Amino acid sequence: MKKFVSLLLALAMVFSLAACGNKSSGGGSTAQGKVFNIYAWNEEFKGFFEKYYKVPDGVTVNWIIVPNDGGGYQKALDEALLNQGNAAADEKVDMFLAEADYILKYTNSDATQDITKIGVTDFSNTYKYTVEAASDASGVIKGVSFQCCPSAMIYRRSIAKDVLGTDDPAKVQELVGSWSKFNDVAKQAKAKGYYITASDAETYRVFSNNVSAPWVDSNNNLQIAPEIQAWIDQAEMFSKNGYTLNTGIWDDEKNVQMFKDGKTMCFFGPAWYFNFCMGNAQDETKGCSGDWAICEGPAAHFWGGTWLLAASGSDNTDMLADVMNTFINNEDVCTKLVKDEAQFSNNQKVNNTIAADPNYGSAFLGGQNDTAVFAAMSGNIKFQNQTIYDQICNEQIQSNMREYFKGEVTKDQAMQNFYKAVKENYPAVNVPNA
């Protein structure tokens, strides 16, 4: 029944886009199948695709958009991929999007194909971790990302001046360049009447992207990496001392802290975060655009990213390869993604050119060249110890521990709830006390 409902949801949300004009450079493949089906969970890439890719004549693009909520997207996608072998040509999945938290589920399966065999062979300008993330255990590359997502510490200039005496990114970086330093700044911020973060989970990704052990070991046992434990310890200390608000990463209570009357110094995120998720800070009447800056923070990390994966059985492999090549190797398109869409592209040559431009800067960041900062950080990103269990484990540990931080359950009960949630989602995984 769940599969049937998911399939109905997917079919109900199909959007057809007939090939049309007004496309920027990119594209140029010959038509094979008449319909190109793309599965995604939101319309971000759809917007870029429609602006910058020239669809071959005679091809209609079908967008199957299914929200991520409750795992809906993966359920609908899995149903479609399961039926791929028996689907009519015009109904086959050609390309689908995936995030870092669950990409390995698809790259390490027969549902995806080797893109080097269909014409995507030049990865000389892409960032190494984006290729590693799209490869299976044997190194076969199954897709590409149109963006690179190094994540920065985004801080309020005015609050930094009050707390640290400076808002200069280089000087701020010196003062927050390790966790011990960052924790000291949290104490200083509290003394001045500020929060260091607006969510106990704000720093989570910085720790989780640098784990020294995967969530599940080779014997199928759940384990807590030292870095995850370090986040728990920090979040517990921040909560007890009033250094942070105990809210979810997307909660309104956190987001209101982005207004100019907010009392929070630091947020963490990549280019897509401050461009698409910090709307309150950019509000014309209540916001504080320009009163922000970025630096690497306590540790290099990335957050998110969208990968384009090649579905096995696609009858549009020429177009499939052309789409991928366009969004990683077409310098005109990649430049537009940076300058017109405020993205950090997956083309090092383009990014480095813009990083060196003395006239380029972000108004939101008070004129700071964010591309230069991200370009310097990108080489430090690691994609290691990732598993197919990451999305559920990462989400659950944050939500379960927050119940403890807020005093709703004991610490032991919070962990038991976490173990229970993992077991319910992954029955084959061995969890403590279960």
Side-chain angles (χ1 to χ4, degrees):
M1 184 62 184
K2 288 182 179 178
K3 288 185 177 181
F4 180 70
V5 172
S6 296
L7 183 58
L8 286 180
L9 176 61
L11 293 174
M13 301 190 75
V14 171
F15 297 94
S16 295
L17 171 68
C20 57
N22 194 32
K23 305 292 181 187
S24 295
S25 56
S29 71
T30 56
Q32 292 175 306
K34 296 179 180 179
V35 179
F36 193 83
N37 294 305
I38 305 175
Y39 272 70
W41 61 88
N42 64 25
E43 299 202 4
E44 180 191 31
F45 180 71
K46 180 174 182 281
F48 300 150
F49 181 97
E50 292 177 6
K51 282 185 181 180
Y52 305 123
Y53 184 75
K54 180 176 173 56
V55 178
D57 293 338
V59 175
T60 295
V61 176
N62 257 2
W63 289 92
I64 300 90
I65 310 289
V66 184
N68 255 332
D69 298 350
Y73 173 63
Q74 288 188 61
K75 292 175 184 176
L77 175 60
D78 291 350
E79 184 74 25
L81 294 174
L82 186 65
N83 295 324
Q84 184 84 330
N86 298 320
D90 289 350
E91 296 176 0
K92 289 183 181 295
V93 181
D94 293 294
M95 185 174 80
F96 62 93
L97 278 52
E99 295 180 284
D101 278 350
Y102 55 83
I103 191 172
L104 295 182
K105 168 183 172 182
Y106 297 103
T107 56
N108 285 295
S109 78
D110 293 334
T112 49
Q113 61 177 303
D114 183 348
I115 61 173
T116 65
K117 292 183 177 180
I118 63 173
V120 186
T121 58
D122 184 3
F123 306 99
S124 59
N125 277 314
T126 57
Y127 291 91
K128 182 181 178 182
Y129 90 91
T130 68
V131 178
E132 292 173 342
S135 303
D136 69 10
S138 300
V140 177
I141 306 172
K142 303 292 193 71
V144 303
S145 177
F146 69 90
Q147 60 190 175
C148 178
C149 294
S151 186
M153 189 185 89
I154 309 163
Y155 64 91
R156 282 281 295 274
R157 289 179 179 270
S158 56
I159 296 178
K161 279 186 177 181
D162 191 18
V163 175
L164 303 175
T166 180
D167 71 340
D168 178 77
K171 293 179 179 177
V172 170
Q173 177 59 33
E174 290 180 7
L175 296 169
V176 299
S178 68
W179 283 121
S180 61
K181 290 181 177 181
F182 184 80
N183 293 346
D184 287 342
V185 172
K187 183 177 181 179
Q188 295 174 52
K190 173 64 183 304
K192 287 278 190 174
Y194 302 108
Y195 298 109
I196 189 67
T197 56
S199 168
D200 46 66
E202 193 69 31
T203 62
Y204 180 81
R205 289 283 176 178
V206 193
F207 287 98
S208 67
N209 272 180
N210 291 288
V211 290
S212 55
W215 271 112
V216 178
D217 68 15
S218 58
N219 294 317
N220 235 31
N221 297 316
L222 182 73
Q223 57 186 357
I224 307 293
E227 295 75 14
I228 299 298
Q229 185 59 55
W231 168 76
I232 293 174
D233 295 341
Q234 183 197 68
E236 181 179 26
M237 185 266 287
F238 278 15
S239 299
K240 287 182 176 179
N241 292 328
Y243 296 168
T244 186
L245 290 172
N246 293 121
T247 68
I249 205 75
W250 304 114
D251 289 357
D252 288 342
E253 187 181 355
K254 171 195 163 176
N255 292 336
V256 298
Q257 287 292 314
M258 299 172 186
F259 287 134
K260 61 185 175 185
D261 60 355
K263 296 296 182 181
T264 297
M265 179 175 166
C266 300
F267 297 82
F268 286 81
W272 60 258
Y273 183 79
F274 58 78
N275 285 310
F276 295 103
C277 304
M278 295 185 70
N280 286 353
Q282 301 182 44
D283 187 281
E284 291 184 4
T285 58
K286 297 191 295 181
C288 47
S289 182
D291 189 27
W292 299 89
I294 63 173
C295 62
E296 183 172 70
H301 68 293
F302 76 95
W303 182 10
T306 298
W307 278 263
L308 320 176
L309 297 184
S312 297
S314 166
D315 63 336
N316 282 285
T317 52
D318 287 351
M319 180 173 165
L320 183 56
D322 193 53
V323 170
M324 294 183 176
N325 281 319
T326 295
F327 282 95
I328 62 171
N329 288 319
N330 186 300
E331 292 182 16
D332 180 56
V333 170
C334 291
T335 298
K336 286 182 169 66
L337 286 176
V338 178
K339 291 190 171 182
D340 298 343
E341 308 296 343
Q343 293 284 306
F344 186 69
S345 80
N346 196 14
N347 186 297
Q348 296 185 59
K349 182 180 179 181
V350 165
N351 291 343
N352 290 338
T353 297
I354 297 172
D357 183 353
N359 298 313
Y360 182 78
S362 166
F364 178 74
L365 300 175
Q368 185 182 17
N369 186 329
D370 56 318
T371 300
V373 179
F374 287 131
M377 291 166 49
S378 58
N380 299 325
I381 295 175
K382 301 173 184 177
F383 188 83
Q384 61 183 20
N385 294 310
Q386 305 291 313
T387 74
I388 62 173
Y389 311 103
D390 290 357
Q391 183 176 27
I392 294 297
C393 290
N394 286 330
E395 290 176 355
Q396 284 296 147
I397 193 69
Q398 293 173 62
S399 60
N400 290 135
M401 289 310 299
R402 181 169 303 112
E403 293 176 342
Y404 162 61
F405 300 147
K406 295 172 72 173
E408 297 172 355
V409 298
T410 65
K411 190 173 186 177
D412 181 67
Q413 187 60 56
M415 290 306 299
Q416 290 301 316
N417 291 341
F418 170 63
Y419 298 148
K420 180 181 179 183
V422 172
K423 192 67 175 178
E424 288 176 348
N425 282 277
Y426 306 112
V429 173
N430 304 313
V431 303
N433 304 317

